[in-house]
Amino acid sequence: MNLADSEVVLSILSDDGYEITKNENEANVILLNTCSVRDNAEQRIHGRLGNLKRLKNGDEKVVLGVIGCMAERMRDKLLEKEDFVDVVVGPDEYRKLPEYLDTAFAGAKGIGVRLSKTETYDDIVPYREDGLSAWISVMRGCDKFCTYCVVPFTRGRERSRSLSSVVSEIRELSQKGFREITLLGQNVNSYNDNGNDFADLMRAAADVDRNIRIRFTTSHPQDLSDKLLYAIAENENICNYIHLPVQSGSDRILKLMNRTYTIGHYLNLIEKARDIIPGVSFSTDIIAGFPTETEEDHQMTLDVIEKVRYDGAFMFKYSPREGTKAYRFEDDVPEDVKSRRLTEIINLQQSISNEINQKLIGTEEVVLVEGASRKSENDLSGRSDTNKVVVFPKLAGINRGDYVKVKIRKASSATLIADVIGKVDFLENKVVETA
Ligand code: 5AD
Ligand code: SF4
């Protein structure tokens, strides 16, 4: 989400005459786009700011700014703590960044932290370098108020972009040769544009160019509709991959988290999705050590991981966030217990990812070629439909942006090694299953 927002910011600033440099020593403006979801993300920003401070000692004026959720959450307090910061601008005020920068160049502090009920940056074409994969933010904010989460406070209320503007952005990306698009929102299942829901948006997105793969994130288990599952099943270019954060395996903890579903509901949903979309894979988010979490609760989380058999997971220790409801609960799971539980969760997930990948040996996958592999110039890498990194030998005639069919030869928990069968026309390769 922040990477997508940074592209919006770069677009706004380049329209205002700024040029982009990758070299911090030569920049007159340095903005850190920040995340507040856990304390360690914020600590890294404090460290980074301390580091960048030295750049303000040169002859030319350098404006240093903090944007994003940490700006929204800390506001003037950030300036008390780090008085050399010139600009503090939250996620809904990026249009005014040029003004805040002018204020800062004039020697005052530029502070913009007003949240909006309507801002979607709908008409701004993000500054995209990649040329192959793009994010499109389709809704902003979150109204779920999970008790541990700062996002509803830093990103404000839910609001959706218009379906037509998303579709025309995809059309432009198609003309520019993009091959993969991820529709983004804190809770995409709440998307609503005058009665068009997220499933309608996904169908419309998939229709623009059948050679563009469509991905999406993030879904809330309470709101993921059958209609969306059918949209995924019926469109070959919508990836069979659902990120569905479970957070905990214990109904008692889920209730304390205000997650509004039970594990029974969650597992039924997974089963239904697997019925409707054969071969669908799942990833999840898990929090270890939420207040009052017992060994039994923790065991239930391990159980749900075993039951679902996720392809992958993002796993975190609970981090109390000021202003959230859970902040008023006692953070009573000791640090060493949190760490041990997190390690158990990570180890279990890794062994499951590995087992799932081993079973893929001998099977065929369609991969979008992204470029040279990280480890060897003689190999290419790309991603499968279910978002797995696949590495295969570089062959003449196969280029970045092509779809290739490969046969998996070897696997680890993180990567698949494959042989190339041949280039495929993504369209012709499709097998459409209509439910
Ligand atoms: N502590 C730990 N993890 C958190 N997340 C959100 N808030 C917190 C917190 N206070 C995790 C959730 C969410 C993901 C984006 O970050 O798992 O799904
Ligand atoms: Fe945070 Fe819950 Fe909204 Fe996700 S759904 S952004 S965890 S409040």
Side-chain angles (χ1 to χ4, degrees):
M1 191 65 93
N2 269 0
L3 289 164
D5 276 3
S6 293
E7 293 177 343
V8 167
V9 167
L10 288 171
S11 167
I12 291 168
L13 294 185
S14 46
D15 281 353
D16 198 57
Y18 286 91
E19 281 171 40
I20 297 160
T21 169
K22 304 246 165 193
N23 177 359
E24 63 192 25
N25 293 306
E26 118 188 336
N28 296 101
V29 175
I30 301 175
L31 303 175
L32 300 186
N33 194 359
T34 58
C35 172
S36 284
V37 88
R38 284 170 293 276
D39 185 56
N40 52 9
E42 290 198 349
Q43 291 315 320
R44 273 169 40 210
I45 293 298
H46 288 301
R48 194 77 207 286
L49 283 171
N51 222 310
L52 291 169
K53 190 176 164 185
R54 73 195 146 81
L55 297 174
K56 295 186 59 106
N57 299 332
D59 298 336
E60 272 191 71
K61 172 97 179 166
V62 171
V63 167
L64 192 55
V66 175
I67 62 174
C69 286
M70 205 172 153
E72 193 62 48
R73 194 182 79 74
M74 295 186 71
R75 303 167 170 231
D76 325 10
K77 266 200 278 173
L78 192 66
L79 297 173
E80 281 165 30
K81 213 172 159 152
E82 252 108 22
D83 63 355
F84 54 89
V85 170
D86 306 288
V87 166
V88 176
V89 177
D92 285 348
E93 292 242 73
Y94 296 151
R95 278 181 205 273
K96 287 208 207 134
L97 256 171
E99 289 167 43
Y100 294 123
L101 292 177
D102 287 347
T103 307
F105 277 113
K109 303 281 184 192
I111 305 175
V113 289
R114 204 168 318 165
L115 287 173
S116 161
K117 291 203 170 84
T118 53
E119 178 61 88
T120 56
Y121 302 114
D122 212 347
D123 53 323
I124 292 174
V125 182
Y127 177 93
R128 295 185 173 105
E129 272 190 336
D130 168 280
L132 191 64
S133 300
W135 294 285
I136 299 184
S137 173
V138 300
M139 55 91 60
R140 301 180 70 84
C142 185
D143 291 353
K144 287 284 171 196
F145 288 93
C146 303
T147 58
Y148 51 79
C149 184
V150 79
V151 168
F153 304 97
T154 57
R155 285 188 172 266
R157 299 289 59 75
E158 279 172 7
R159 62 223 107 114
S160 300
R161 272 181 67 174
S162 71
L163 183 143
S164 60
S165 80
V166 175
V167 165
S168 58
E169 191 166 343
I170 297 175
R171 202 167 288 131
E172 272 173 38
L173 290 169
S174 153
Q175 279 155 10
K176 286 184 185 151
F178 279 77
R179 281 283 157 267
E180 180 180 62
I181 283 166
T182 306
L183 303 187
L184 289 178
Q186 303 296 340
N187 175 22
V188 288
N189 312 110
S190 296
Y191 179 86
N192 182 352
D193 171 38
N194 290 316
N196 284 312
D197 63 14
F198 188 63
D200 298 325
L201 178 70
M202 287 289 278
R203 282 187 190 276
D207 238 2
V208 174
D209 178 347
R210 293 284 162 188
N211 277 311
I212 288 186
R213 270 184 174 170
I214 309 287
R215 301 184 186 276
F216 66 101
T217 198
T218 287
S219 289
H220 191 292
Q222 189 203 313
D223 305 332
L224 183 84
S225 67
D226 291 8
K227 193 174 160 190
L228 177 61
L229 296 176
Y230 284 109
I232 299 171
E234 289 165 15
N235 288 275
E236 184 59 25
N237 61 329
I238 299 182
C239 290
N240 291 346
Y241 173 78
I242 304 176
H243 183 63
L244 197 63
V246 68
Q247 313 298 1
S248 166
S250 153
D251 285 343
R252 189 184 68 83
I253 296 289
L254 288 175
K255 198 157 186 200
L256 286 174
M257 289 176 161
N258 189 32
R259 285 295 286 179
T260 64
Y261 52 84
T262 60
I263 288 302
H265 170 89
Y266 185 91
L267 292 174
N268 280 339
L269 182 58
I270 296 268
E271 203 176 75
K272 187 161 62 179
R274 285 186 165 142
D275 269 354
I276 295 175
I277 316 164
V280 65
S281 74
F282 293 94
S283 61
T284 200
D285 292 346
I286 289 172
I287 298 176
F290 189 77
T292 77
E293 185 187 77
T294 62
E295 285 307 315
E296 289 74 47
D297 295 318
H298 168 59
Q299 190 54 50
M300 289 179 199
T301 299
L302 296 173
D303 288 348
V304 88
I305 295 173
E306 295 254 27
K307 280 193 184 129
V308 177
R309 296 183 64 78
Y310 296 103
D311 277 49
F314 300 95
M315 300 154 282
F316 318 101
K317 278 192 258 186
Y318 170 66
S319 166
R321 308 311 294 139
E322 204 176 340
T324 62
K325 193 162 179 205
Y327 193 71
R328 301 200 296 267
F329 307 163
E330 192 190 341
D331 181 20
D332 59 355
V333 179
E335 185 57 32
D336 58 329
V337 175
K338 272 189 200 169
S339 295
R340 195 245 314 144
R341 289 180 188 167
L342 180 65
T343 306
E344 287 176 13
I345 290 168
I346 291 172
N347 288 345
L348 175 61
Q349 181 51 49
Q350 224 175 11
S351 74
I352 291 173
S353 297
N354 189 43
E355 282 166 25
I356 290 176
N357 287 353
Q358 296 303 327
K359 282 217 179 108
L360 290 175
I361 293 175
T363 64
E364 294 175 2
E365 295 276 344
V366 174
V367 175
L368 172 61
V369 182
E370 289 171 14
S373 97
R374 261 193 302 158
K375 289 198 180 136
S376 157
E377 289 224 342
N378 299 325
D379 290 328
L380 293 172
S381 92
R383 251 164 238 271
S384 69
D385 185 317
T386 58
N387 213 22
K388 291 178 193 295
V389 175
V390 185
V391 174
F392 46 93
K394 194 184 225 168
L395 296 179
I398 294 181
N399 299 306
R400 182 177 149 86
D402 290 340
Y403 287 106
V404 290
K405 190 172 245 190
V406 300
K407 188 166 187 169
I408 310 303
R409 173 160 54 83
K410 232 172 102 181
S412 71
S413 64
T415 315
L416 302 173
I417 311 287
D419 296 317
V420 178
I421 297 173
K423 225 152 98 162
V424 292
D425 178 332
F426 192 49
L427 253 185
E428 282 175 13
N429 191 53
K430 78 173 178 179
V431 190
V432 178
E433 297 241 352
T434 313

